[in-house]
Amino acid sequence: MRTRSAQLSHCGVAVDLGSTRTRIHIRGSGVVVDEPSLAAVDTKSRSLVAVGETARHMQDRTPGNVIVRCPVADGMIQDTELAKAMLEELLKPVTGRWHRTFGSVVASSLPHGAGPVARAALETTLREAGFRRSVIVDTAVAAATGAHLPVRSPGAVLIMLCGTATTQVAVLSMGHVVTSVDTAFGARNIDHAIEAFVRHMFGITATGTVLHDLYRRLADAPLEGQIPVTGIDAITGLPRTVHVDTADVHRVIQGPYSLLRDSVGRALRRCPPDLVADLAERGLTVMGGAAFLPGLTQALRDDTGVPVHSAADPAHCVIDGLGMMIESRSAAQPKQTTPDFVPEPTGLEAETTM
């Protein structure tokens, strides 16, 4: 069934269930929840101990009977029961039980290549969390809308949406996805490459938080400078700080970057020639974790020959787009009250009655 703007206008809530963070937009209030997609569970009593930021602080600090898990992986729900419990707990402080009482309609998204199993898992999670109906749209369309790109224009829009474990490169035109390339590669792979380098060169193991901070600082560091990195010494087991040459780290991450560059190339090769001509002018917009990777935008410019830009708020493009849809605002036509920005059906966009 075709998803129309009228269907989205019935939604009071938008939910972006990501592998790293869960974000919730409530109509009229904006984004009210932006928390890690984590839940701490007591394995003995099978009860929920904590969710979100509280659960993140409990990682590696809990007794043996409490484990911290993420119910979402690769942008898709792996544990519907845990995802439902986490979502309910995140909703409580901001909505109480109104969404269950009144049977609210919720908007959410799935990647273009998601299959029926992933769709069913998302629908089940939303239904069991108390929502009467759900409207599922394509993640690429939501992200492009949130980045204020001309989604409904007859020309082409090229985006790269890089998450924790997956990256989607999509070409959109006239409100729907023309072609999409999904790669099992994300910011986590960059972490692993740097972690292996630091362990090999200095004999220390760095945590994920340290690695994220490292490659974000690379963007502002001089190419021939050094950045301090603190980790656990492999021999003594004690904390140790080393100074890593930024030039070495840049060389290490060029290998993983090649996978992202190849994804853009494949998307362009699949695109009709007339749309490729549009992209030469409009270029590529980078969203998600890729927008923070040092040197990636320049590498993409060099390889593709098209302009490359980072979204103004790359981490929030999906939830911002969903929010604009349920608030009946279009990125391309912000003054309209009932914009026709919703895509043609591509197998994902449909209203599901629950």
Side-chain angles (χ1 to χ4, degrees):
M1 180 177 178
R2 181 178 177 177
T3 304
R4 299 181 185 274
S5 56
Q7 296 172 349
L8 286 162
S9 69
H10 293 156
C11 298
V13 181
V15 174
D16 176 21
L17 274 170
S19 303
T20 304
R21 300 189 73 85
T22 293
R23 299 180 173 98
I24 301 172
H25 177 113
I26 294 181
R27 177 184 292 190
S29 300
V31 177
V32 295
V33 172
D34 187 351
E35 299 265 356
S37 298
L38 294 172
V41 181
D42 189 323
T43 57
K44 291 182 179 178
S45 63
R46 296 185 179 180
S47 60
L48 192 67
V49 176
V51 299
E53 196 65 37
T54 304
R56 186 183 71 82
H57 287 298
M58 296 173 67
Q59 282 186 306
D60 302 322
R61 298 181 176 91
T62 61
N65 61 303
V66 177
I67 58 173
V68 179
R69 297 173 53 198
C70 177
V72 185
D74 300 339
M76 303 176 195
I77 296 172
Q78 308 297 319
D79 187 331
T80 56
E81 184 65 27
L82 187 59
K84 182 267 294 187
M86 179 186 74
L87 185 56
E88 278 192 318
E89 199 66 24
L90 291 173
L91 280 165
K92 279 182 184 178
V94 292
T95 66
R97 291 287 180 176
W98 72 265
H99 68 290
R100 183 180 294 278
T101 303
F102 295 102
S104 175
V105 185
V106 61
S108 192
S109 66
L110 276 175
H112 186 72
V117 174
R119 182 188 179 88
L122 178 59
E123 292 171 349
T124 299
T125 298
L126 296 172
R127 181 179 66 247
E128 293 185 353
F131 294 102
R132 178 169 55 89
R133 288 184 297 159
S134 65
V135 180
I136 311 299
V137 300
D138 196 298
T139 301
V141 175
T145 301
H148 298 275
L149 298 177
V151 181
R152 285 294 299 173
S153 73
V157 171
L158 177 64
I159 69 167
M160 170 187 283
L161 183 59
C162 180
T164 302
T166 59
T167 295
Q168 180 182 15
V169 179
V171 177
L172 301 94
S173 181
M174 297 295 292
H176 68 276
V177 176
V178 176
T179 186
S180 176
V181 175
D182 296 329
T183 305
F185 178 90
R188 182 183 301 159
N189 299 83
I190 305 293
D191 288 351
H192 291 167
I194 299 175
E195 179 185 10
F197 167 74
V198 172
R199 186 172 57 247
H200 174 74
M201 291 295 296
F202 302 99
I204 67 170
T205 300
T207 65
T209 303
V210 171
L211 295 174
H212 273 285
D213 182 59
L214 170 63
Y215 70 65
R216 292 191 184 210
R217 283 188 292 163
L218 280 173
D220 300 320
L223 187 59
E224 299 301 327
Q226 290 188 329
I227 295 178
V229 177
T230 301
I232 303 300
D233 192 288
I235 297 176
T236 66
L238 299 174
R240 182 160 65 92
T241 299
V242 299
H243 288 81
V244 180
D245 289 337
T246 56
D248 290 339
V249 180
H250 276 285
R251 281 193 292 270
V252 168
I253 60 182
Q254 289 309 308
Y257 279 6
S258 64
L259 295 176
L260 298 179
R261 298 196 298 267
D262 289 346
S263 297
V264 176
R266 280 187 287 153
L268 291 174
R269 286 192 292 272
R270 294 180 185 179
C271 189
D274 289 344
L275 294 182
V276 172
D278 291 335
L279 296 176
E281 179 180 349
R282 291 183 175 175
L284 167 69
T285 302
V286 181
M287 312 170 193
F292 302 106
L293 298 177
L296 177 61
T297 54
Q298 185 59 51
L300 291 171
R301 288 189 197 102
D302 294 341
D303 276 17
T304 63
V306 301
V308 181
H309 321 279
S310 293
D313 189 1
H316 293 84
C317 287
V318 175
I319 191 61
D320 286 347
L322 291 172
M324 292 171 70
M325 290 176 179
I326 70 170
E327 299 278 3
S328 296
R329 300 198 309 271
S330 168
Q333 297 169 311
K335 294 184 180 180
Q336 293 184 354
T337 56
T338 56
D340 185 18
F341 54 75
V342 185
E344 298 289 338
T346 60
L348 279 180
E349 303 89 339
E351 179 181 23
T352 303
T353 301
M354 298 187 176

